[in-house]
Structures are given as C-alpha cells and as structure tokens.
Amino acid sequence: MVTRAVTARVRRWIGAPPALDRSRAARSAVAFGLCFGVVTAVAGVHAGVFAALGCYIDAYGARDPYRRRGPLLALLSLGFLLAIVAGSLAAGNVWAMTAVLAVVAFTATLLVRTLRLSGPGSYFVVLVTAMAAFLPPVSIADTVVRAGYFAIGVAVSWLSAMAGRLVRPYAPEERSVAAALRSAAAFAAAAGRDTAGRDAAGSPTSGVHAVRRRAYTAAHGAWEALDDARGRRGAPAPRLLVLYALMMRLEGMLDAVQDAVQDAVQDAVQDAAERGGPVPAGWAPWLRDAAVAVQAGRTPASPPVTAEASGSAPPRGAPDPGASAEAGLRAAGAALWPVPLPARKRRRDVVRLVLSSASPAPTIALRVGLSVAVGTVLGWVLPLMHPAWVAVGAAAALQGGQGLQPSQRVGARFVGTVGGVLVTVLVAQVYRPGVWPTVAVATVVHGVSRGLPPSAVRARTLLNTPVALLLVDAAYVSGPGLGPLAAYRLLDLTLGLCLGMAAVLLVPGVPPRRVRAAVSAAVAATGPAVRERLRTGAVDPPTEGAAWQRTAELWTMHASLPDLEARVTGTAERIWPVLLAVRRLLCWNVLAAPAAPAPDDARRVGGFLDVLADAATAGPPGVAGPRPALPPAPRTPEPIRAPDLHRRLTALRSALEDPAPASRGAGPPRAAG
C-alpha cells in the first residue's frame, strides 16, 4: 500500500508523459548525427562539437508555415554565425565578453519576438555565444574555421527543417488546423455534457471553461498560421482555401457551442429563451474525424448541416451540400477570402509595433540582456569550472515554456537539471564515454528532446543537460570528466536561474496603463466593424481586418502576461472574458447571414461600443475598473435587425465591469502543437 501511494504521488508530481512528435524527432536526430558524426570522423571531436552546436537551430520554426519559416530560419542562422564569431573574438576579455553577450542576448530576444518565430526565444543563441566566449582564446583563422564547422550544422538543420515542403507544402498549417479541430471537438463534447446537466437555474454544472479556453486558443493559433501562409499578391493556393473554409466552419461551430453553454454571469441576466440550444450530437465526432483527415493531408467529409442539427440557419461559409467536400470547401473559401484576416502590414509597421509601449518584447529583452551581462561577470570572477552556464541559466530563466511565470519556469528547469545531472553522474560512475558512444547518445537524446512539445520544459531540460555535458566533455581534451562537470553545471545553472529571477524583480513587467490601452484599442476597433456590418448589412473587410488585428494584439498581451509578472496578479484572467466577448462580436460580423441595412441600430451599437472603449481606459477589466467611467445605467442596445447582438454586447459590458472574472479559465493560452 505504501509503495502504491508513493508511486501515485510521484506520477502526479511528474504528470502525464508528454506526446512525442516522432517525425520531428527523427529529422532532428538524423541531421544532428550526420553533422556530429561526419565532422568528428573527418576533423576530430572538437570540430564535431561546433557542427553539433549549429544543429541547435532546429529548435526554431517548427510551427511556422514553410513560406515564412525558410527566410526567417536563414536570417536566424546568420545571427547564430555572427554571434559565435563575436563570442570567439571576445574570449579572454571579461568586458568584451560581457558587452558581446549582453548585446547578443538583447538583440536576439527582440528579433525572435519581432519575427514571432516559434521556439525558445534567444536561449540557444546565448548558449552558443557563451560557450564560444568562455573557451580559451583562439586566432582569427581558428575562429573562421570554428564558424565554418558551425555553419555546416546550421545548413544541414535548415535543409532538414525545410525538407517537408517538397512532400507536403502545407503540413504546418494542416497541423495547426487539426489541433484546432481536436480542441473544438473536446469543447463540443464537454458542452454537450454540460447542457445536458444544467441545474434548475440554467447554470453550468461541469467545468467546461478550461476546455473552451483551449479550443479558442487553438483556433487563434490556426488563424495565425493561415495568415502567415498567405502571399502578398495573387489568389491563395487551393489547399489553403480548403483549410481557410474549414476554419470558417469551425468558427461557426465554436460560436454555436458557446451559445449553448453561457457563462454563469451571462445566465444570470438572461431568461431561458435567450440561451443557445443543445449542442448537436454529431459535431464532436465529425470534428475529431476531420482533425485526423487534415492531419494526414486529406480533405474531411462534408460537415453536418447546422440547419438539420439545431434548427438554425447554416453559418456563413458553410460548404454547398450538393458539391463534393473538396469543391465545396474551395468555393466557400473563395467566396469569403480574406475575411477576417487583416491587411498585410509593412515591415516597418511590424517593427514599430514590437518596439512600442504596447509590446511586451522590450521588457523581456531588457531582462534577458541585464541578467546575461551580470551572469557573464560573475562567471568570470567566481571560481567556476564552466562559467558560461551562468549566463545560459539566466537566459533560460526568462524564456521557453509559453504561459509559465518566471518562478514556474525556474522550478521546472531546476528540477530538470537536477535529474539530468544525476543521470550523467550515474553514467560517469560506470565508464567514461568514448568519442563514438558520445556521438550516438547525444544524437538520440537530442532527437527525443526536439520531439517533445514546447510546454514540456522539465522533460526537455532533463534531456538537454546530459547532451550539453557530453559536448563540453568532448570539447575538453584533457578535461576533468563528466562527474565534476555535472556538479558544476548544477551550481552554475542555479546561480544563473537566480539572476534571471532577480532581473524579473528589478525590471517591472507590464504597467497597468498598457493593459488598459490594449483592451481599449480592441474594443474601440470592434465598434467600426460592428457599425459597418449593421449599417450596410454585410461585412466590411477593412474594418473587420483592423478589428481582428487589434484583437490579436490583445491576445499577445494576454499570452505574455505570465512571462512578465513576478507574482500572480490575475490580470490575464480578467482580460480573458473581454477577449472572448470581443471575439464573439467579430465572429457575428463574419458568420451572420447578410441582412437589410439598419442605420439606426448601427448608430446606437457603435456609440455604445465607443463608450465601453473610453471606459476601458479607466482601469483594468474587473476590480471595478471601468465601472466608474460608465454613464449612470447605460442601456445596452437591443438591435431590431440583429437580436443576438444584445447578448454579446451584454457579455462585453459584464466582462469590463464585473469585479470577478466572468470565466474560470485554466491558465494562459499556450501554442497548439
């Protein structure tokens, strides 16, 4: 009994084993092993280590469409090369090393966030720069040779990352859409159980909120992938149109499911006649089957007809039941494209947005640069065996594991490092690995670590620690051995993690005014979109796209809050109901059938949203923030031509006013896949 209880507690502490992306793991292992093994065989293990370090670029871009992945990885590869050359040239001079590592850390963090390149931020850029800087100084000729070996690993990893484009050019977008379909299926299934188990007051009796949040998070990730995949000119590719039409259909289903399961706060202000009907039983199975088909690169069967399932009109964008699934989806996509995707932004507009006060990127970059600079100085001054890990630990404390607060990330990395060190020490007690066992073990472990999801910070750290120790041990021809290296690795990385936490406390996170500005901007941009929809009876692409863009910026703020907060403030939880309410208003714009113009409704609803946008600047949502700025008892409009809007406008007002979050989520949004 005692053993069983201890085992159960350990399993709860470890958590469920993370899913492994076998395809990515195999590609990474082949590229890593090829570079490490061939260069080691030709030029020795010291050169092979630098080729292996170049393969660390495979940590980036895995979820980005090939259209943008190739150029961005090429740009990042150039940055890697410049960073390792700068680190090698600065070796031996503490102030030069400090300046180089601080500049590299700050610039790389800002660049990766500006480009929205998926991966662990600037962590691996700092790692390769720090390892080059803390190695013994070498001549310029040796630096060039070292960079050449590094370039081999970078080039092979780039080719490996782009090889899938030859077989399935839209595989990343298909994975994102499949993840959205799977999450929506879970939401529909949970909502079906929830609506069947309502109590007498109509309140939800089961925890459907966390499932809903994951569904909308996955849908947001899929829309980002489709936005990144489209070109600047010309018509979209047929496969992209199919995925786009599926996402429009998915939005209609999400909207209908959300109507079926209203939040408890909304239910309190509605009678039973205003609530959505039951979730059709066939939706969840179709969504699951569609996810399997899309993941495999096929087109799913025609979706269930909403009119037959729920008695309501089919949402805008539904395929023609008389056409084949492929042709119907293409036709539906061509009729709607590109709504609601925003207009393409110029590069300088993207840079201006990232550097603005509304962006969290400068704060995170400043924290990383400051902690890496202090870690470099301490690593030089203190009697440490491999002081580069101090700077690396400082960078690791502030990046990786989206949706984790710094303290949670530090805890996960520390536990993973302890586990990796223990494994390495046990191996070192048995035998000292030779060159080829080192190549083989490092290759396998590297591949497995790349196949783990981004959220598995603890497991990734546990696997990366032995690989780093094996590479360093191989680079030091007459080094101290794995045992002492592992012990100092734990000491150095712990010091770096502490520096990262200190930077979080010294550099403030998001000021409340920036949160208020992001919320107000999203609500303000929604006003013209809804107004034009009511005034003309049809969706207006420019205003709709601008509103979706502002909503995406609010989503970025919401997702970045855990990275920026030293303690739990609940701000992200208070933003989430506003984000959902704004998104529901914009979905109505797109999904509702064309209607007759209603200028009077447009004027009243637009004015009401302008009032809410002005009130949002008075304080963060909840905690009685915008409430004092609202006029006494402002009447929520009840559009005559669009009665469903009243419930959505009421939800937005409640999300801004109520002192408690209107929805109990399960933490911040995380990237799907």
Side-chain angles (χ1 to χ4, degrees):
M1 290 294 293
V2 175
T3 304
R4 186 176 302 172
V6 172
T7 304
R9 180 166 298 183
V10 170
R11 286 179 177 174
R12 285 196 301 270
W13 177 75
I14 295 176
L20 182 67
D21 186 343
R22 295 182 178 86
S23 175
R24 186 185 178 193
R27 290 196 309 269
S28 296
V30 169
F32 187 91
L34 186 65
C35 294
F36 197 5
V38 172
V39 175
T40 297
V42 173
V45 68
H46 183 81
V49 166
F50 283 97
L53 289 176
C55 293
Y56 279 171
I57 197 175
D58 64 1
Y60 298 90
R63 298 189 302 278
D64 294 281
Y66 289 120
R67 177 182 288 273
R68 73 189 303 265
R69 182 191 302 184
L72 293 185
L73 282 184
L75 181 61
L76 185 64
S77 300
L78 178 61
F80 262 90
L81 282 170
L82 294 176
I84 198 167
V85 169
S88 297
L89 294 177
N93 186 313
V94 60
W95 301 118
M97 292 164 53
T98 302
V100 165
L101 279 167
V103 170
V104 166
F106 178 85
T107 306
T109 304
L110 205 58
L111 178 67
V112 171
R113 284 192 164 260
T114 300
L115 300 176
R116 294 187 298 106
L117 186 62
S118 60
S122 64
Y123 171 67
F124 283 112
V125 184
V126 174
L127 185 148
V128 299
T129 310
M131 292 189 72
F134 281 98
L135 285 173
V138 295
S139 64
I140 294 180
D142 291 335
T143 298
V144 172
V145 172
R146 179 183 291 178
Y149 291 130
F150 186 83
I152 293 175
V154 167
V156 173
S157 289
W158 186 92
L159 291 173
S160 173
M162 296 299 296
R165 187 170 190 175
L166 301 175
V167 182
R168 288 179 56 188
Y170 294 100
E173 298 93 302
E174 289 168 346
R175 283 195 296 269
S176 297
V177 173
L181 291 167
R182 282 193 299 270
S183 298
F187 181 32
R193 294 190 299 270
D194 188 86
T195 53
R198 287 181 182 271
D199 58 21
S203 300
T205 57
S206 63
V208 73
H209 302 291
V211 184
R212 176 190 61 188
R213 193 160 177 172
R214 287 193 292 270
Y216 276 101
T217 299
H220 177 74
W223 279 116
E224 280 194 327
L226 294 181
D227 187 26
D228 292 336
R230 61 176 173 153
R232 294 186 176 274
R233 298 179 182 87
R239 184 58 179 172
L240 200 60
L241 275 179
V242 170
L243 297 177
Y244 166 79
L246 281 172
M247 283 304 301
M248 293 297 294
R249 185 62 178 180
L250 176 65
E251 286 293 341
M253 289 182 170
L254 282 176
D255 203 64
V257 172
Q258 175 60 17
D259 276 340
V261 183
Q262 294 294 336
D263 285 345
V265 173
Q266 289 179 258
D267 284 340
V269 297
Q270 296 171 214
D271 59 34
E274 288 184 289
R275 300 189 192 106
V279 178
W283 281 11
W286 179 83
L287 287 166
R288 285 192 290 267
D289 293 341
V292 173
V294 171
Q295 183 84 26
R298 304 190 307 270
T299 299
S302 298
V305 180
T306 308
E308 296 176 357
S310 60
S312 60
R316 192 165 179 256
D320 180 5
S324 66
E326 181 86 13
L329 287 171
R330 287 185 186 178
L336 296 174
W337 183 271
V339 175
L341 299 176
R344 304 298 295 180
K345 295 187 294 296
R346 294 171 297 183
R347 290 182 177 85
R348 63 173 176 267
D349 294 333
V350 175
V351 173
R352 188 182 301 115
L353 175 64
V354 171
L355 297 179
S356 68
S357 60
S359 170
T363 299
I364 296 177
L366 182 59
R367 287 177 176 177
V368 174
L370 177 64
S371 59
V372 166
V374 176
T376 304
V377 175
L378 291 180
W380 183 272
V381 173
L382 298 178
L384 302 174
M385 184 171 292
H386 200 285
W389 280 322
V390 181
V392 173
L398 301 169
Q399 299 174 97
Q402 183 184 5
L404 296 178
Q405 285 192 292
S407 58
Q408 296 171 323
R409 189 180 297 109
V410 165
R413 291 199 182 277
F414 180 78
V415 171
T417 302
V418 170
V421 165
L422 290 177
V423 170
T424 307
V425 170
L426 290 176
V427 171
Q429 294 300 319
V430 178
Y431 74 103
R432 181 183 177 89
V435 171
W436 295 111
T438 296
V439 172
V441 172
T443 298
V444 173
V445 177
H446 176 87
V448 173
S449 68
R450 290 295 178 268
L452 294 175
S455 57
V457 178
R458 187 183 302 163
R460 280 174 171 262
T461 306
L462 189 148
L463 293 173
N464 287 333
T465 297
V467 173
L469 290 168
L470 287 170
L471 293 180
V472 172
D473 184 53
Y476 280 105
V477 179
S478 57
L482 275 175
L485 274 176
Y488 274 94
R489 159 82 175 191
L490 182 59
L491 174 64
D492 302 347
L493 195 67
T494 302
L495 178 58
L497 295 175
C498 293
L499 288 176
M501 284 302 302
V504 173
L505 299 175
L506 290 175
V507 180
V510 180
R513 59 180 175 79
R514 285 166 52 186
V515 177
R516 296 195 299 267
V519 173
S520 178
V523 178
T526 304
V530 178
R531 185 187 297 118
E532 286 301 303
R533 179 67 169 81
L534 291 170
R535 188 181 68 83
T536 64
V539 64
D540 180 57
T543 56
E544 181 75 12
W548 277 86
Q549 179 61 43
R550 290 296 187 182
T551 304
E553 293 168 10
L554 178 60
W555 194 288
T556 300
M557 171 70 75
H558 173 236
S560 300
L561 281 171
D563 283 336
L564 299 167
E565 293 179 340
R567 58 183 180 84
V568 178
T569 64
T571 305
E573 288 299 315
R574 290 190 292 272
I575 289 179
W576 168 246
V578 179
L579 192 56
L580 179 62
V582 168
R583 202 178 185 284
R584 292 254 295 152
L585 281 170
L586 296 177
C587 282
W588 175 85
N589 280 6
V590 177
L591 299 172
D600 186 59
D601 285 346
R603 177 185 56 79
R604 292 188 295 115
V605 171
F608 179 74
L609 289 172
D610 290 342
V611 170
L612 292 185
D614 291 339
T617 61
V623 199
R627 184 179 296 176
L630 289 170
R635 180 181 176 85
T636 303
E638 299 185 30
I640 299 174
R641 301 286 178 85
D644 182 54
L645 266 184
H646 176 72
R647 180 169 68 246
R648 299 174 191 241
L649 293 170
T650 301
L652 177 58
R653 175 177 173 173
S654 299
L656 288 169
E657 283 187 312
D658 290 346
S663 171
R664 298 171 294 280
R670 302 192 183 191

